[in-house]
Amino acid sequence: MHDANRFNPFQFLTTNENGLSVVLAFLLNPNEKHGQGDFFLNSLLKNLKLYDFLTYEHVKVTLEKKVNTSRRRHDIFIEGFIGNQRIWILSIENKLRNAADQEKQIIDYMNDLKFQVKKFCLIYVPPFERTPSNSAITEDELKNALNNQEIKLWDANGLINWLEEVPIFAPKIRHFVEYFIKFLKEDVLGETMETNHLAQKITENQHNLDAALQVIAAQNEIYAILWNQLKEQLAQLCMEKYSSLNWQIVDEFNPAARYSYIGFENVTDSNGAASEGVAIEFGGTYFHNAYYGAWSVSEDIQEKLNDMHQEMGSGKSEDWQFWRWCENDLRNWEITTWLRIPTGELAKEIFEKWQPLLDIFQENSSS
């Protein structure tokens, strides 16, 4: 009976980004057979304060709409019409499965929308709160788009809050949405019945609540202690095998900001600039969206990293000649991730990912 409470029909559905887009498009399309008309769409527009978009007679919803000037596709493309005249477009960029931003991806979408209609908005939906990468849209372009309400930054929590507020009259659709919310909380955000139960128990007891709040207040200090342990462990592992490189461990620790990282690098000047190295870095706040990779100013190393990039299908950018997303709880750090620091397990996991990259640097230095 306990396991029955964990049942969710979404475990039998395709729940990659395309699958989740199908669910969202179904709900947002007033013409679909959910019997709610435009309740979902209108409540979304109000939730995002896009009140100008509430003026329409009918809409058209398209999945995987091709961008006119490239091979890119809008995940969910919603067009609002009065009569035969299209008056606005919404494009939803679904990043709920944490797909990496591609080079100039967001600005390409924005330019495509701008070319088609005067009133438009791109809704960017990662699992956790973050902005698109600078390679997808520059900071100035993003700032201007936000000021003009041409882009809205959402996340899974915003999506859940919206779904919980929508008035749903059909019982079957209400149950479907409840399961969808449960799926988003557990599978996308990592919440479980156990953590919710623990929170309930803590708040029922004043002593437990006081202790828990003190721990929360010290959260960043606890992270910092564990982070320093991890640095020391990685330094030891790297120096044991790659001391000939004469590199050092460097880091940036700021949980509330993006791009915290730990790296093993060839620091070449007093300002801390590194000509080459390997690192694990977080694209999101509070140790979310972790990826690892390597870079070098050496053309020989760049060529070898590029070969590895081709072989493994990894990412590549202006700053990294090779990078890959971390997997499981190494990508979005959870309690289970931090608990592997005192035992040294987490340092070994990260070091194992660095090793093939460090071998390239070591082989090149000895040749």
Side-chain angles (χ1 to χ4, degrees):
M1 292 296 290
H2 173 70
D3 286 339
N5 292 328
R6 299 183 178 184
F7 170 76
N8 193 324
F10 276 83
Q11 66 187 303
F12 303 109
L13 303 178
T14 301
T15 54
N16 58 17
E17 285 184 353
N18 288 341
L20 296 178
S21 291
V22 169
V23 174
L24 289 173
F26 167 78
L27 295 174
L28 291 170
N29 191 344
N31 303 313
E32 282 286 2
K33 297 178 181 178
H34 46 56
Q36 304 303 294
D38 56 12
F39 275 114
F40 285 109
L41 177 58
N42 287 351
S43 64
L44 172 71
L45 296 173
K46 292 173 183 175
N47 184 283
L48 293 173
K49 296 181 171 56
L50 294 171
Y51 302 114
D52 289 348
F53 289 71
L54 290 166
T55 303
Y56 64 89
E57 291 179 354
H58 62 278
V59 301
K60 180 181 178 182
V61 180
T62 308
L63 287 164
E64 296 292 305
K65 176 74 171 180
K66 192 176 183 306
V67 172
N68 289 320
T69 57
S70 74
R71 299 178 63 182
R72 301 191 194 281
R73 295 178 181 272
H74 297 274
D75 291 334
I76 305 174
F77 196 77
I78 307 175
E79 302 165 271
F81 293 84
I82 292 181
N84 294 323
Q85 183 181 3
R86 183 173 60 181
I87 57 172
W88 55 254
I89 299 175
L90 288 180
S91 173
I92 300 178
E93 177 57 17
N94 175 9
K95 297 285 187 182
L96 287 169
R97 286 306 193 184
N98 247 338
D101 295 330
Q102 299 168 22
E103 193 81 16
K104 296 185 177 179
Q105 181 183 20
I106 303 303
I107 197 62
D108 282 352
Y109 290 148
M110 301 288 290
N111 288 337
D112 183 57
L113 295 170
K114 195 175 296 184
F115 176 77
Q116 296 192 56
V117 72
K118 287 184 177 180
K119 188 187 299 182
F120 65 89
C121 186
L122 175 72
I123 305 171
Y124 183 80
V125 195
F128 302 96
E129 182 180 351
R130 66 176 170 89
T131 59
S133 66
N134 291 340
S135 63
I137 182 171
T138 67
E139 288 186 18
D140 287 342
E141 289 168 335
L142 178 61
K143 184 178 179 180
N144 289 335
L146 288 168
N147 288 339
N148 295 330
Q149 293 205 70
E150 294 173 346
I151 189 169
K152 290 284 187 177
L153 305 179
W154 223 20
D155 58 21
N157 273 315
L159 175 57
I160 289 166
N161 292 337
W162 161 61
L163 289 171
E164 289 177 336
E165 292 173 359
V166 181
I168 304 173
F169 304 106
K172 288 183 178 180
I173 300 302
R174 184 169 63 249
H175 293 153
F176 174 79
V177 170
E178 287 170 354
Y179 277 122
F180 186 39
I181 291 171
K182 185 172 183 282
F183 169 82
L184 291 170
K185 288 181 176 180
E186 295 182 356
D187 198 84
V188 175
L189 294 180
E191 295 181 13
T192 64
M193 292 175 61
E194 285 76 12
T195 57
N196 290 335
H197 179 69
L198 176 62
Q200 184 65 38
K201 287 295 182 184
I202 287 173
T203 54
E204 288 174 355
N205 182 287
Q206 184 64 37
H207 176 73
N208 290 343
L209 179 59
D210 181 63
L213 291 174
Q214 289 186 46
V215 170
I216 292 170
Q219 173 180 270
N220 285 352
E221 286 77 8
I222 294 170
Y223 283 153
I225 291 169
L226 292 171
W227 182 269
N228 286 328
Q229 286 183 18
L230 180 62
K231 279 171 49 184
E232 292 171 5
Q233 293 163 355
L234 284 169
Q236 183 176 350
L237 290 169
C238 289
M239 294 308 296
E240 283 175 359
K241 189 166 183 180
Y242 301 101
S243 59
S244 62
L245 291 174
N246 199 28
W247 290 5
Q248 64 189 65
I249 290 288
V250 295
D251 76 308
E252 180 70 36
F253 176 81
N254 188 349
R258 299 173 66 192
Y259 306 122
S260 290
Y261 76 96
I262 297 179
F264 186 50
E265 303 175 0
N266 183 11
V267 178
T268 54
D269 62 37
S270 58
N271 294 323
S275 60
E276 55 193 353
V278 299
I280 180 170
E281 185 174 71
F282 299 88
T285 59
Y286 287 95
F287 313 103
H288 285 108
N289 298 327
Y291 46 88
Y292 70 96
W295 72 97
S296 175
V297 296
S298 162
E299 291 184 1
D300 290 340
I301 296 289
Q302 288 181 11
E303 185 176 342
K304 291 176 181 178
L305 290 173
N306 185 61
D307 290 342
M308 183 177 283
H309 157 71
Q310 297 290 340
E311 181 182 339
M312 299 180 66
S314 66
K316 186 178 179 182
S317 70
E318 201 172 302
D319 298 322
W320 303 77
Q321 279 89 48
F322 174 97
W323 69 268
R324 295 195 81 183
W325 288 111
C326 295
E327 299 172 343
N328 303 319
D329 68 350
L330 193 57
R331 181 159 175 176
N332 296 314
W333 285 23
E334 303 170 357
I335 293 173
T336 54
T337 320
W338 292 96
L339 287 174
R340 294 203 298 279
I341 292 178
T343 64
E345 293 174 67
L346 188 61
K348 289 178 182 177
E349 287 179 45
I350 295 171
F351 182 66
E352 285 173 4
K353 294 186 180 301
W354 285 358
Q355 272 191 283
L357 302 168
L358 288 168
D359 287 343
I360 292 174
F361 289 101
Q362 184 159 267
E363 289 166 6
N364 193 73
S365 66
S366 59
S367 60

